[in-house]
Amino acid sequence: MRRIATVLAAATFGIALGVAPAFADSPHFLFANNSVSSTTGALTTAFKDAGLGTGTSSVQISLTVDNASAVYQCFNNGGNHPKAGNKTTVSQSLNTTGTFPVRNGQTTGSLTVGPPGPGSFSCPNGQTLYLQSVTYTGTNVSDATGNTFHATPDPIGTGNIHIAVG
């Protein structure tokens, strides 16, 4: 009987030791930094997520953008935009998700979204569609543990650009 009690006590102690590290994990983002490409208009958010636990091999991270606003405009072959209203602004929310490897309880990576497309807006014959600017607001990264972090700077945009779309 004493032997059974000793085995049960050892098993209970072993389980308690195994559970303790799970409670010690404290997922949190150390940073989430936004940048926008001046050649594509895409938003890239670089991040570091720590406190994920040493027993975790990968984690799913999501990037959400509350509002991405892009301005598209038509230009003729001479490089001038017609006086007509051949210009549109498109706004939408964006999101993307990726799975990242975890080493020593942390991961570092980046996710890229955007810019929002022109939708059904197109240019008449003899004109080319250009992306003129993009602005992103409300950017957040979150992990599969429910941890969310606001990326900065926010809002962030391209300023004036001139990228042929097609």
Side-chain angles (χ1 to χ4, degrees):
M1 189 61 134
R2 184 175 233 183
R3 192 176 261 175
I4 292 173
T6 303
V7 169
L8 286 175
T12 302
F13 182 71
I15 290 170
L17 284 178
V19 172
F23 289 119
D25 296 345
S26 178
H28 59 283
F29 285 94
L30 297 176
F31 65 83
N33 299 327
N34 289 327
S35 62
V36 179
S37 170
S38 61
T39 59
T40 66
L43 170 74
T44 299
T45 303
F47 59 84
K48 183 169 188 172
D49 196 9
L52 298 168
T54 56
T56 304
S57 61
S58 65
V59 65
Q60 195 171 50
I61 307 284
S62 297
L63 169 62
T64 59
V65 179
D66 291 340
N67 186 45
S69 181
V71 175
Y72 289 92
Q73 187 165 13
C74 296
F75 285 79
N76 64 26
N77 291 334
N80 299 312
H81 58 87
K83 299 257 185 237
N86 293 340
K87 180 178 180 178
T88 191
T89 301
V90 180
S91 295
Q92 68 184 74
S93 60
L94 301 172
N95 63 59
T96 190
T97 301
T99 302
F100 298 87
V102 174
R103 297 187 79 177
N104 300 320
Q106 60 189 7
T107 190
T108 303
S110 64
L111 290 165
T112 301
V113 294
S120 61
F121 182 75
S122 63
C123 298
N125 287 337
Q127 296 182 14
T128 303
L129 184 62
Y130 283 85
L131 175 63
Q132 294 296 99
S133 67
V134 185
T135 302
Y136 300 91
T137 59
T139 56
N140 292 286
V141 289
S142 57
D143 61 26
T145 69
N147 182 34
T148 299
F149 191 78
H150 184 74
T152 57
D154 186 3
I156 187 170
T158 59
N160 293 326
I161 56 175
H162 192 69
I163 301 170
V165 176

